[in-house]
Amino acid sequence: MFLLSAERIDTAQLKRALENPGAGACVTFEGWVRNNNEGKTVLRLEYEAYEDLALKEGARILAEALDKFGLLGATCVHRTGCLEIGELAVWVGVSAAHRDEAFAACRYIIDEVKSRVPIWKKEHYADGESGWVNCERCAAHGHDHAHGAGAAGILSRDDASYSRQTALP
Amino acid sequence: MFLLSAERIDTAQLKRALENPGAGACVTFEGWVRNNNEGKTVLRLEYEAYEDLALKEGARILAEALDKFGLLGATCVHRTGCLEIGELAVWVGVSAAHRDEAFAACRYIIDEVKSRVPIWKKEHYADGESGWVNCERCAAHGHDHAHGAGAAGILSRDDASYSRQTALP
Amino acid sequence: MKEHGRTVHVHYYALLREQSGISDETVHTEAETVLDLFVELNERYHFAARPERLKVALNAEFRNWDDKISHGDTIVFLPPVAGG
Amino acid sequence: MKEHGRTVHVHYYALLREQSGISDETVHTEAETVLDLFVELNERYHFAARPERLKVALNAEFRNWDDKISHGDTIVFLPPVAGG
């Protein structure tokens, strides 16, 4: 079950839905809004989702995890809208017979959600600026990895308007 | 904070204690009482702890994890007494700036707790039998790994009373 | 409506929404492929993102830049995602 | 009390508690090391566990089988643990 939520996430209820008498392990991941990123003080975040596609892609990721790791349950809920420091932005929970699969699957789901589900995050900083955050893999690799079906190689025209993907002042 | 609890564990309260404005990730592991083990139907479990040493060793494991992974918070609570199927036997929760450390630390803590903290588990089976469960590493390796300061090599006398470590009928 | 043209719906999110100033629009275009459409819209909005940094969705599925567009399609250009 | 003997406290857990039938006892012994004490108690209780499968704690710390025991010590023989 992959959900988007404009409201606070009730994790207790979500965890109960993972219960299964054959489950010996439950691993959860919570992404919390942190007060800093890349050296800047963060005041709050905004999440924006392309809901139709986000729900489909999120459901595909959970189906992959259930199949790949033989899970007994898997859920992910992602917030949308404005979030304050310390708020829960994303919750992933899985149950499985043993902890090996539970840890691996939980990690798989959050990694895939972060890089595949069309959700965008805008950080608002203490210095008054704000910016849309790039995906971690882009930041780490100077963007030599493919974003799925990218346009590199197709595009022959120069794109003079390219700049760092950040909101203009 | 490492605790033993003879009562049901309140996970919501434990998770709140991990909150930190610099934390972007919280990973939890829950060990649940499973209805089967090694092909046998399990009805319930009993946990017994050597409390003085369990508390010391548990605290050492958490201190190691805090140091090794640079965590912002780490907690583990282990149940004692009789538990039914589906009950929470052990809870591990960690918070950290990023998810890499959080996943690695949570896994480290539960692995070390299972193999180092003096807690024993007796399974009661549907066929009326019961047995003390061996540690997983023993089961996996036919016991050629050392249990810390073991007596192998010191002992010269034969031990004729050796048998499979299981309760007699 | 011009000959050979088609009417499509375009939605904008995040940085592209801010740069175009709109969340969605209905566009009449001569563009045959998704990439042609992007180039056309980029002339109007000067998006601060190269298409090789973007993905594209056609009718709420990830698709390719050289896919043909049809009358009534919904197209979304997706900036690099950053959930979590 | 015999000459050279010492009085120590022994606690039993899990399988060893069931096999001895007691949770703890105070023992007067001539044993000099933890291992000597185990061998002595094993003659009484016939524990179904080899000492190389056990660990030992002396005054609530993990210690070695060849450690000397002193008057008043608390000794625990630890079956393989299985938390979680």
Side-chain angles (χ1 to χ4, degrees), chain B residues 47-48 50 56 78 119-122 132-133 135 147 149 154 161 165, chain D residues 13-15 17-18 35 47 50 55 60-61 64 79-82 84:
Chain B
Y47 284 101
E48 183 173 340
Y50 174 15
K56 282 189 206 175
H78 204 297
I119 297 175
W120 299 274
K121 172 162 65 180
K122 187 177 195 172
W132 293 96
V133 178
C135 97
H147 273 288
I154 296 175
S161 66
Q165 197 200 23
Chain D
Y13 290 95
L15 188 64
R17 177 178 52 69
E18 291 183 345
L35 182 61
F47 294 123
R50 290 186 299 200
K55 291 172 86 168
E61 283 298 349
N64 296 310
V81 306

PDB file of all heavy atoms in Angstrom, chain B residues 47-48 50 56 78 119-122 132-133 135 147 149 154 161 165, chain D residues 13-15 17-18 35 47 50 55 60-61 64 79-82 84:
ATOM      1  N   TYR B  47      10.992 -15.565  27.822  1.00  0.00           N
ATOM      2  CA  TYR B  47      12.330 -14.964  27.831  1.00  0.00           C
ATOM      3  C   TYR B  47      12.804 -14.836  29.269  1.00  0.00           C
ATOM      4  O   TYR B  47      12.054 -14.407  30.146  1.00  0.00           O
ATOM      5  CB  TYR B  47      12.327 -13.574  27.211  1.00  0.00           C
ATOM      6  CG  TYR B  47      12.257 -13.577  25.712  1.00  0.00           C
ATOM      7  CD1 TYR B  47      11.058 -13.324  25.060  1.00  0.00           C
ATOM      8  CD2 TYR B  47      13.386 -13.822  24.950  1.00  0.00           C
ATOM      9  CE1 TYR B  47      10.993 -13.311  23.680  1.00  0.00           C
ATOM     10  CE2 TYR B  47      13.333 -13.808  23.568  1.00  0.00           C
ATOM     11  CZ  TYR B  47      12.135 -13.559  22.944  1.00  0.00           C
ATOM     12  OH  TYR B  47      12.070 -13.550  21.573  1.00  0.00           O
ATOM     13  N   GLU B  48      14.057 -15.196  29.472  1.00  0.00           N
ATOM     14  CA  GLU B  48      14.663 -15.120  30.796  1.00  0.00           C
ATOM     15  C   GLU B  48      15.982 -14.361  30.627  1.00  0.00           C
ATOM     16  O   GLU B  48      16.737 -14.613  29.692  1.00  0.00           O
ATOM     17  CB  GLU B  48      14.933 -16.551  31.270  1.00  0.00           C
ATOM     18  CG  GLU B  48      15.494 -16.669  32.642  1.00  0.00           C
ATOM     19  CD  GLU B  48      15.566 -18.144  33.085  1.00  0.00           C
ATOM     20  OE1 GLU B  48      14.857 -19.000  32.503  1.00  0.00           O
ATOM     21  OE2 GLU B  48      16.343 -18.441  34.007  1.00  0.00           O
ATOM     22  N   TYR B  50      19.596 -12.582  32.512  1.00  0.00           N
ATOM     23  CA  TYR B  50      20.494 -12.347  33.642  1.00  0.00           C
ATOM     24  C   TYR B  50      20.626 -10.820  33.701  1.00  0.00           C
ATOM     25  O   TYR B  50      21.460 -10.221  33.031  1.00  0.00           O
ATOM     26  CB  TYR B  50      21.828 -13.037  33.359  1.00  0.00           C
ATOM     27  CG  TYR B  50      22.937 -12.788  34.348  1.00  0.00           C
ATOM     28  CD1 TYR B  50      22.706 -12.236  35.617  1.00  0.00           C
ATOM     29  CD2 TYR B  50      24.245 -13.124  34.021  1.00  0.00           C
ATOM     30  CE1 TYR B  50      23.745 -12.023  36.501  1.00  0.00           C
ATOM     31  CE2 TYR B  50      25.291 -12.921  34.904  1.00  0.00           C
ATOM     32  CZ  TYR B  50      25.027 -12.361  36.143  1.00  0.00           C
ATOM     33  OH  TYR B  50      26.065 -12.150  37.021  1.00  0.00           O
ATOM     34  N   LYS B  56      24.240  -4.244  31.461  1.00  0.00           N
ATOM     35  CA  LYS B  56      25.592  -3.730  31.176  1.00  0.00           C
ATOM     36  C   LYS B  56      25.983  -3.974  29.725  1.00  0.00           C
ATOM     37  O   LYS B  56      26.503  -3.086  29.053  1.00  0.00           O
ATOM     38  CB  LYS B  56      26.631  -4.446  32.055  1.00  0.00           C
ATOM     39  CG  LYS B  56      26.710  -3.966  33.475  1.00  0.00           C
ATOM     40  CD  LYS B  56      27.933  -4.610  34.125  1.00  0.00           C
ATOM     41  CE  LYS B  56      27.771  -4.711  35.624  1.00  0.00           C
ATOM     42  NZ  LYS B  56      28.892  -5.432  36.251  1.00  0.00           N
ATOM     43  N   HIS B  78      14.194  -4.948  25.582  1.00  0.00           N
ATOM     44  CA  HIS B  78      13.925  -6.378  25.385  1.00  0.00           C
ATOM     45  C   HIS B  78      12.936  -6.852  26.439  1.00  0.00           C
ATOM     46  O   HIS B  78      13.072  -6.513  27.613  1.00  0.00           O
ATOM     47  CB  HIS B  78      15.225  -7.180  25.485  1.00  0.00           C
ATOM     48  CG  HIS B  78      15.164  -8.498  24.758  1.00  0.00           C
ATOM     49  ND1 HIS B  78      14.298  -9.499  25.113  1.00  0.00           N
ATOM     50  CD2 HIS B  78      15.846  -8.954  23.687  1.00  0.00           C
ATOM     51  CE1 HIS B  78      14.461 -10.526  24.298  1.00  0.00           C
ATOM     52  NE2 HIS B  78      15.395 -10.217  23.413  1.00  0.00           N
ATOM     53  N   ILE B 119      20.278 -13.254  27.421  1.00  0.00           N
ATOM     54  CA  ILE B 119      18.829 -13.445  27.419  1.00  0.00           C
ATOM     55  C   ILE B 119      18.593 -14.788  26.744  1.00  0.00           C
ATOM     56  O   ILE B 119      19.243 -15.106  25.748  1.00  0.00           O
ATOM     57  CB  ILE B 119      18.111 -12.326  26.635  1.00  0.00           C
ATOM     58  CG1 ILE B 119      18.342 -10.977  27.317  1.00  0.00           C
ATOM     59  CG2 ILE B 119      16.621 -12.626  26.495  1.00  0.00           C
ATOM     60  CD1 ILE B 119      17.778  -9.786  26.553  1.00  0.00           C
ATOM     61  N   TRP B 120      17.684 -15.584  27.327  1.00  0.00           N
ATOM     62  CA  TRP B 120      17.399 -16.905  26.767  1.00  0.00           C
ATOM     63  C   TRP B 120      15.932 -17.010  26.419  1.00  0.00           C
ATOM     64  O   TRP B 120      15.077 -16.414  27.086  1.00  0.00           O
ATOM     65  CB  TRP B 120      17.806 -18.000  27.763  1.00  0.00           C
ATOM     66  CG  TRP B 120      19.262 -17.946  28.065  1.00  0.00           C
ATOM     67  CD1 TRP B 120      20.257 -18.539  27.365  1.00  0.00           C
ATOM     68  CD2 TRP B 120      19.906 -17.209  29.131  1.00  0.00           C
ATOM     69  NE1 TRP B 120      21.483 -18.233  27.916  1.00  0.00           N
ATOM     70  CE2 TRP B 120      21.295 -17.432  29.005  1.00  0.00           C
ATOM     71  CE3 TRP B 120      19.447 -16.404  30.167  1.00  0.00           C
ATOM     72  CZ2 TRP B 120      22.230 -16.872  29.877  1.00  0.00           C
ATOM     73  CZ3 TRP B 120      20.372 -15.839  31.046  1.00  0.00           C
ATOM     74  CH2 TRP B 120      21.747 -16.076  30.893  1.00  0.00           C
ATOM     75  N   LYS B 121      15.677 -17.820  25.393  1.00  0.00           N
ATOM     76  CA  LYS B 121      14.321 -17.940  24.844  1.00  0.00           C
ATOM     77  C   LYS B 121      13.900 -19.391  24.853  1.00  0.00           C
ATOM     78  O   LYS B 121      14.610 -20.248  24.316  1.00  0.00           O
ATOM     79  CB  LYS B 121      14.354 -17.414  23.406  1.00  0.00           C
ATOM     80  CG  LYS B 121      13.097 -17.625  22.613  1.00  0.00           C
ATOM     81  CD  LYS B 121      13.029 -16.720  21.382  1.00  0.00           C
ATOM     82  CE  LYS B 121      14.096 -17.014  20.342  1.00  0.00           C
ATOM     83  NZ  LYS B 121      13.976 -16.103  19.159  1.00  0.00           N
ATOM     84  N   LYS B 122      12.766 -19.670  25.472  1.00  0.00           N
ATOM     85  CA  LYS B 122      12.224 -21.031  25.451  1.00  0.00           C
ATOM     86  C   LYS B 122      10.962 -21.039  24.604  1.00  0.00           C
ATOM     87  O   LYS B 122      10.040 -20.257  24.859  1.00  0.00           O
ATOM     88  CB  LYS B 122      11.886 -21.483  26.874  1.00  0.00           C
ATOM     89  CG  LYS B 122      11.487 -22.939  26.960  1.00  0.00           C
ATOM     90  CD  LYS B 122      11.242 -23.371  28.405  1.00  0.00           C
ATOM     91  CE  LYS B 122      11.215 -24.881  28.493  1.00  0.00           C
ATOM     92  NZ  LYS B 122      11.160 -25.322  29.904  1.00  0.00           N
ATOM     93  N   TRP B 132      14.841 -24.719  24.770  1.00  0.00           N
ATOM     94  CA  TRP B 132      15.607 -23.479  24.777  1.00  0.00           C
ATOM     95  C   TRP B 132      16.271 -23.328  23.423  1.00  0.00           C
ATOM     96  O   TRP B 132      16.905 -24.248  22.928  1.00  0.00           O
ATOM     97  CB  TRP B 132      16.651 -23.502  25.892  1.00  0.00           C
ATOM     98  CG  TRP B 132      16.016 -23.481  27.249  1.00  0.00           C
ATOM     99  CD1 TRP B 132      15.737 -24.556  28.039  1.00  0.00           C
ATOM    100  CD2 TRP B 132      15.531 -22.338  27.944  1.00  0.00           C
ATOM    101  NE1 TRP B 132      15.107 -24.146  29.196  1.00  0.00           N
ATOM    102  CE2 TRP B 132      14.974 -22.784  29.160  1.00  0.00           C
ATOM    103  CE3 TRP B 132      15.493 -20.962  27.653  1.00  0.00           C
ATOM    104  CZ2 TRP B 132      14.399 -21.910  30.089  1.00  0.00           C
ATOM    105  CZ3 TRP B 132      14.935 -20.099  28.579  1.00  0.00           C
ATOM    106  CH2 TRP B 132      14.392 -20.576  29.788  1.00  0.00           C
ATOM    107  N   VAL B 133      16.116 -22.165  22.848  1.00  0.00           N
ATOM    108  CA  VAL B 133      16.603 -21.933  21.488  1.00  0.00           C
ATOM    109  C   VAL B 133      18.087 -21.577  21.532  1.00  0.00           C
ATOM    110  O   VAL B 133      18.525 -20.775  22.346  1.00  0.00           O
ATOM    111  CB  VAL B 133      15.814 -20.787  20.833  1.00  0.00           C
ATOM    112  CG1 VAL B 133      16.337 -20.488  19.431  1.00  0.00           C
ATOM    113  CG2 VAL B 133      14.334 -21.149  20.795  1.00  0.00           C
ATOM    114  N   CYS B 135      21.532 -19.923  19.967  1.00  0.00           N
ATOM    115  CA  CYS B 135      21.778 -18.705  19.207  1.00  0.00           C
ATOM    116  C   CYS B 135      21.900 -19.079  17.741  1.00  0.00           C
ATOM    117  O   CYS B 135      22.302 -20.181  17.378  1.00  0.00           O
ATOM    118  CB  CYS B 135      22.988 -17.936  19.727  1.00  0.00           C
ATOM    119  SG  CYS B 135      24.539 -18.193  18.876  1.00  0.00           S
ATOM    120  N   HIS B 147      32.163 -18.571  21.546  1.00  0.00           N
ATOM    121  CA  HIS B 147      31.272 -17.728  22.354  1.00  0.00           C
ATOM    122  C   HIS B 147      32.119 -16.887  23.271  1.00  0.00           C
ATOM    123  O   HIS B 147      32.141 -17.096  24.477  1.00  0.00           O
ATOM    124  CB  HIS B 147      30.326 -18.580  23.191  1.00  0.00           C
ATOM    125  CG  HIS B 147      29.093 -18.952  22.453  1.00  0.00           C
ATOM    126  ND1 HIS B 147      28.097 -18.055  22.171  1.00  0.00           N
ATOM    127  CD2 HIS B 147      28.709 -20.116  21.887  1.00  0.00           C
ATOM    128  CE1 HIS B 147      27.129 -18.653  21.503  1.00  0.00           C
ATOM    129  NE2 HIS B 147      27.473 -19.894  21.307  1.00  0.00           N
ATOM    130  N   ALA B 149      34.906 -15.900  25.546  1.00  0.00           N
ATOM    131  CA  ALA B 149      35.899 -16.678  26.263  1.00  0.00           C
ATOM    132  C   ALA B 149      35.355 -18.061  26.574  1.00  0.00           C
ATOM    133  O   ALA B 149      34.925 -18.335  27.685  1.00  0.00           O
ATOM    134  CB  ALA B 149      36.303 -15.954  27.541  1.00  0.00           C
ATOM    135  N   ILE B 154      40.710 -25.481  27.083  1.00  0.00           N
ATOM    136  CA  ILE B 154      41.080 -25.514  28.500  1.00  0.00           C
ATOM    137  C   ILE B 154      40.676 -26.853  29.095  1.00  0.00           C
ATOM    138  O   ILE B 154      41.412 -27.493  29.825  1.00  0.00           O
ATOM    139  CB  ILE B 154      40.347 -24.397  29.282  1.00  0.00           C
ATOM    140  CG1 ILE B 154      40.805 -23.028  28.785  1.00  0.00           C
ATOM    141  CG2 ILE B 154      40.568 -24.551  30.780  1.00  0.00           C
ATOM    142  CD1 ILE B 154      40.061 -21.885  29.404  1.00  0.00           C
ATOM    143  N   SER B 161      28.009 -36.093  29.721  1.00  0.00           N
ATOM    144  CA  SER B 161      26.583 -35.750  29.831  1.00  0.00           C
ATOM    145  C   SER B 161      26.118 -34.810  28.722  1.00  0.00           C
ATOM    146  O   SER B 161      25.003 -34.337  28.729  1.00  0.00           O
ATOM    147  CB  SER B 161      26.298 -35.098  31.181  1.00  0.00           C
ATOM    148  OG  SER B 161      26.957 -33.850  31.247  1.00  0.00           O
ATOM    149  N   GLN B 165      21.162 -29.231  23.165  1.00  0.00           N
ATOM    150  CA  GLN B 165      20.736 -28.310  24.211  1.00  0.00           C
ATOM    151  C   GLN B 165      19.231 -28.065  24.150  1.00  0.00           C
ATOM    152  O   GLN B 165      18.745 -27.057  23.652  1.00  0.00           O
ATOM    153  CB  GLN B 165      21.472 -26.970  24.098  1.00  0.00           C
ATOM    154  CG  GLN B 165      21.347 -26.195  25.401  1.00  0.00           C
ATOM    155  CD  GLN B 165      21.611 -24.737  25.220  1.00  0.00           C
ATOM    156  OE1 GLN B 165      21.486 -24.201  24.143  1.00  0.00           O
ATOM    157  NE2 GLN B 165      21.957 -24.092  26.319  1.00  0.00           N
TER     158      GLN B 165
ATOM    159  N   TYR D  13      20.588 -20.032  35.004  1.00  0.00           N
ATOM    160  CA  TYR D  13      19.556 -19.514  34.100  1.00  0.00           C
ATOM    161  C   TYR D  13      19.205 -20.549  33.043  1.00  0.00           C
ATOM    162  O   TYR D  13      20.020 -21.400  32.687  1.00  0.00           O
ATOM    163  CB  TYR D  13      20.057 -18.248  33.402  1.00  0.00           C
ATOM    164  CG  TYR D  13      20.167 -17.072  34.338  1.00  0.00           C
ATOM    165  CD1 TYR D  13      21.378 -16.776  34.956  1.00  0.00           C
ATOM    166  CD2 TYR D  13      19.049 -16.285  34.633  1.00  0.00           C
ATOM    167  CE1 TYR D  13      21.480 -15.715  35.847  1.00  0.00           C
ATOM    168  CE2 TYR D  13      19.148 -15.214  35.522  1.00  0.00           C
ATOM    169  CZ  TYR D  13      20.359 -14.935  36.117  1.00  0.00           C
ATOM    170  OH  TYR D  13      20.457 -13.886  36.999  1.00  0.00           O
ATOM    171  N   ALA D  14      17.969 -20.441  32.571  1.00  0.00           N
ATOM    172  CA  ALA D  14      17.522 -21.179  31.388  1.00  0.00           C
ATOM    173  C   ALA D  14      17.731 -22.682  31.593  1.00  0.00           C
ATOM    174  O   ALA D  14      17.314 -23.240  32.618  1.00  0.00           O
ATOM    175  CB  ALA D  14      18.238 -20.659  30.138  1.00  0.00           C
ATOM    176  N   LEU D  15      18.388 -23.343  30.638  1.00  0.00           N
ATOM    177  CA  LEU D  15      18.578 -24.792  30.697  1.00  0.00           C
ATOM    178  C   LEU D  15      19.290 -25.222  31.981  1.00  0.00           C
ATOM    179  O   LEU D  15      18.941 -26.249  32.584  1.00  0.00           O
ATOM    180  CB  LEU D  15      19.395 -25.226  29.475  1.00  0.00           C
ATOM    181  CG  LEU D  15      19.525 -26.714  29.261  1.00  0.00           C
ATOM    182  CD1 LEU D  15      18.166 -27.348  28.990  1.00  0.00           C
ATOM    183  CD2 LEU D  15      20.463 -27.000  28.084  1.00  0.00           C
ATOM    184  N   ARG D  17      19.298 -23.748  34.892  1.00  0.00           N
ATOM    185  CA  ARG D  17      18.362 -23.604  36.012  1.00  0.00           C
ATOM    186  C   ARG D  17      17.420 -24.803  36.054  1.00  0.00           C
ATOM    187  O   ARG D  17      17.165 -25.379  37.123  1.00  0.00           O
ATOM    188  CB  ARG D  17      17.564 -22.303  35.868  1.00  0.00           C
ATOM    189  CG  ARG D  17      16.503 -22.101  36.944  1.00  0.00           C
ATOM    190  CD  ARG D  17      15.744 -20.787  36.813  1.00  0.00           C
ATOM    191  NE  ARG D  17      15.184 -20.570  35.488  1.00  0.00           N
ATOM    192  CZ  ARG D  17      14.189 -21.267  34.957  1.00  0.00           C
ATOM    193  NH1 ARG D  17      13.589 -22.234  35.658  1.00  0.00           N
ATOM    194  NH2 ARG D  17      13.765 -21.027  33.744  1.00  0.00           N
ATOM    195  N   GLU D  18      16.938 -25.214  34.902  1.00  0.00           N
ATOM    196  CA  GLU D  18      16.022 -26.353  34.874  1.00  0.00           C
ATOM    197  C   GLU D  18      16.737 -27.642  35.271  1.00  0.00           C
ATOM    198  O   GLU D  18      16.176 -28.502  35.942  1.00  0.00           O
ATOM    199  CB  GLU D  18      15.406 -26.507  33.482  1.00  0.00           C
ATOM    200  CG  GLU D  18      14.440 -25.377  33.160  1.00  0.00           C
ATOM    201  CD  GLU D  18      13.746 -25.545  31.813  1.00  0.00           C
ATOM    202  OE1 GLU D  18      14.203 -26.383  31.000  1.00  0.00           O
ATOM    203  OE2 GLU D  18      12.764 -24.833  31.589  1.00  0.00           O
ATOM    204  N   LEU D  35      36.518 -22.886  36.084  1.00  0.00           N
ATOM    205  CA  LEU D  35      36.351 -24.190  35.442  1.00  0.00           C
ATOM    206  C   LEU D  35      36.318 -25.319  36.480  1.00  0.00           C
ATOM    207  O   LEU D  35      35.488 -26.230  36.386  1.00  0.00           O
ATOM    208  CB  LEU D  35      37.476 -24.432  34.421  1.00  0.00           C
ATOM    209  CG  LEU D  35      37.376 -25.743  33.649  1.00  0.00           C
ATOM    210  CD1 LEU D  35      36.082 -25.819  32.839  1.00  0.00           C
ATOM    211  CD2 LEU D  35      38.584 -25.924  32.737  1.00  0.00           C
ATOM    212  N   PHE D  47      24.942 -31.419  33.974  1.00  0.00           N
ATOM    213  CA  PHE D  47      24.391 -30.466  33.010  1.00  0.00           C
ATOM    214  C   PHE D  47      24.491 -31.015  31.587  1.00  0.00           C
ATOM    215  O   PHE D  47      25.525 -31.547  31.187  1.00  0.00           O
ATOM    216  CB  PHE D  47      25.160 -29.141  33.057  1.00  0.00           C
ATOM    217  CG  PHE D  47      25.002 -28.401  34.345  1.00  0.00           C
ATOM    218  CD1 PHE D  47      26.117 -28.059  35.113  1.00  0.00           C
ATOM    219  CD2 PHE D  47      23.733 -28.039  34.801  1.00  0.00           C
ATOM    220  CE1 PHE D  47      25.971 -27.362  36.299  1.00  0.00           C
ATOM    221  CE2 PHE D  47      23.594 -27.339  35.992  1.00  0.00           C
ATOM    222  CZ  PHE D  47      24.717 -27.002  36.750  1.00  0.00           C
ATOM    223  N   ARG D  50      28.123 -28.826  27.346  1.00  0.00           N
ATOM    224  CA  ARG D  50      29.571 -28.846  27.516  1.00  0.00           C
ATOM    225  C   ARG D  50      30.055 -27.442  27.854  1.00  0.00           C
ATOM    226  O   ARG D  50      29.529 -26.471  27.310  1.00  0.00           O
ATOM    227  CB  ARG D  50      30.250 -29.309  26.222  1.00  0.00           C
ATOM    228  CG  ARG D  50      29.998 -30.772  25.947  1.00  0.00           C
ATOM    229  CD  ARG D  50      30.789 -31.222  24.757  1.00  0.00           C
ATOM    230  NE  ARG D  50      30.401 -30.473  23.557  1.00  0.00           N
ATOM    231  CZ  ARG D  50      30.642 -30.905  22.336  1.00  0.00           C
ATOM    232  NH1 ARG D  50      31.258 -32.057  22.140  1.00  0.00           N
ATOM    233  NH2 ARG D  50      30.274 -30.193  21.292  1.00  0.00           N
ATOM    234  N   LYS D  55      29.503 -19.664  28.410  1.00  0.00           N
ATOM    235  CA  LYS D  55      30.368 -18.575  28.817  1.00  0.00           C
ATOM    236  C   LYS D  55      30.226 -18.467  30.323  1.00  0.00           C
ATOM    237  O   LYS D  55      29.349 -19.089  30.931  1.00  0.00           O
ATOM    238  CB  LYS D  55      29.952 -17.263  28.152  1.00  0.00           C
ATOM    239  CG  LYS D  55      30.208 -17.265  26.658  1.00  0.00           C
ATOM    240  CD  LYS D  55      29.613 -16.062  25.987  1.00  0.00           C
ATOM    241  CE  LYS D  55      30.548 -14.868  26.025  1.00  0.00           C
ATOM    242  NZ  LYS D  55      30.050 -13.793  25.109  1.00  0.00           N
ATOM    243  N   ALA D  60      29.099 -10.406  37.653  1.00  0.00           N
ATOM    244  CA  ALA D  60      28.357  -9.705  36.592  1.00  0.00           C
ATOM    245  C   ALA D  60      29.240  -9.077  35.513  1.00  0.00           C
ATOM    246  O   ALA D  60      28.908  -8.020  34.966  1.00  0.00           O
ATOM    247  CB  ALA D  60      27.385  -8.679  37.187  1.00  0.00           C
ATOM    248  N   GLU D  61      30.369  -9.731  35.219  1.00  0.00           N
ATOM    249  CA  GLU D  61      31.162  -9.368  34.036  1.00  0.00           C
ATOM    250  C   GLU D  61      31.599 -10.664  33.347  1.00  0.00           C
ATOM    251  O   GLU D  61      31.883 -11.648  34.022  1.00  0.00           O
ATOM    252  CB  GLU D  61      32.410  -8.551  34.413  1.00  0.00           C
ATOM    253  CG  GLU D  61      32.131  -7.096  34.754  1.00  0.00           C
ATOM    254  CD  GLU D  61      31.533  -6.289  33.594  1.00  0.00           C
ATOM    255  OE1 GLU D  61      31.500  -6.779  32.439  1.00  0.00           O
ATOM    256  OE2 GLU D  61      31.075  -5.164  33.860  1.00  0.00           O
ATOM    257  N   ASN D  64      36.981 -15.308  32.165  1.00  0.00           N
ATOM    258  CA  ASN D  64      37.546 -16.531  31.584  1.00  0.00           C
ATOM    259  C   ASN D  64      37.415 -17.717  32.520  1.00  0.00           C
ATOM    260  O   ASN D  64      37.374 -17.573  33.740  1.00  0.00           O
ATOM    261  CB  ASN D  64      39.019 -16.298  31.252  1.00  0.00           C
ATOM    262  CG  ASN D  64      39.161 -15.239  30.189  1.00  0.00           C
ATOM    263  OD1 ASN D  64      38.504 -15.304  29.144  1.00  0.00           O
ATOM    264  ND2 ASN D  64      39.985 -14.243  30.475  1.00  0.00           N
ATOM    265  N   PRO D  79      24.467 -20.315  29.319  1.00  0.00           N
ATOM    266  CA  PRO D  79      24.191 -21.069  28.087  1.00  0.00           C
ATOM    267  C   PRO D  79      24.206 -20.114  26.897  1.00  0.00           C
ATOM    268  O   PRO D  79      24.097 -18.903  27.069  1.00  0.00           O
ATOM    269  CB  PRO D  79      22.777 -21.619  28.316  1.00  0.00           C
ATOM    270  CG  PRO D  79      22.505 -21.477  29.776  1.00  0.00           C
ATOM    271  CD  PRO D  79      23.326 -20.317  30.243  1.00  0.00           C
ATOM    272  N   PRO D  80      24.334 -20.649  25.668  1.00  0.00           N
ATOM    273  CA  PRO D  80      24.290 -19.785  24.481  1.00  0.00           C
ATOM    274  C   PRO D  80      23.045 -18.911  24.511  1.00  0.00           C
ATOM    275  O   PRO D  80      21.947 -19.403  24.743  1.00  0.00           O
ATOM    276  CB  PRO D  80      24.223 -20.789  23.323  1.00  0.00           C
ATOM    277  CG  PRO D  80      24.876 -22.017  23.861  1.00  0.00           C
ATOM    278  CD  PRO D  80      24.540 -22.068  25.316  1.00  0.00           C
ATOM    279  N   VAL D  81      23.247 -17.620  24.273  1.00  0.00           N
ATOM    280  CA  VAL D  81      22.126 -16.693  24.390  1.00  0.00           C
ATOM    281  C   VAL D  81      21.281 -16.732  23.121  1.00  0.00           C
ATOM    282  O   VAL D  81      21.728 -17.179  22.070  1.00  0.00           O
ATOM    283  CB  VAL D  81      22.612 -15.258  24.678  1.00  0.00           C
ATOM    284  CG1 VAL D  81      23.511 -15.252  25.897  1.00  0.00           C
ATOM    285  CG2 VAL D  81      23.315 -14.649  23.477  1.00  0.00           C
ATOM    286  N   ALA D  82      20.056 -16.262  23.243  1.00  0.00           N
ATOM    287  CA  ALA D  82      19.145 -16.260  22.088  1.00  0.00           C
ATOM    288  C   ALA D  82      18.071 -15.206  22.282  1.00  0.00           C
ATOM    289  O   ALA D  82      16.886 -15.501  22.298  1.00  0.00           O
ATOM    290  CB  ALA D  82      18.516 -17.635  21.900  1.00  0.00           C
ATOM    291  N   GLY D  84      15.945 -11.681  21.205  1.00  0.00           N
ATOM    292  CA  GLY D  84      15.303 -11.240  19.955  1.00  0.00           C
ATOM    293  C   GLY D  84      14.202 -12.154  19.505  1.00  0.00           C
ATOM    294  O   GLY D  84      13.941 -13.173  20.093  1.00  0.00           O
TER     295      GLY D  84
END
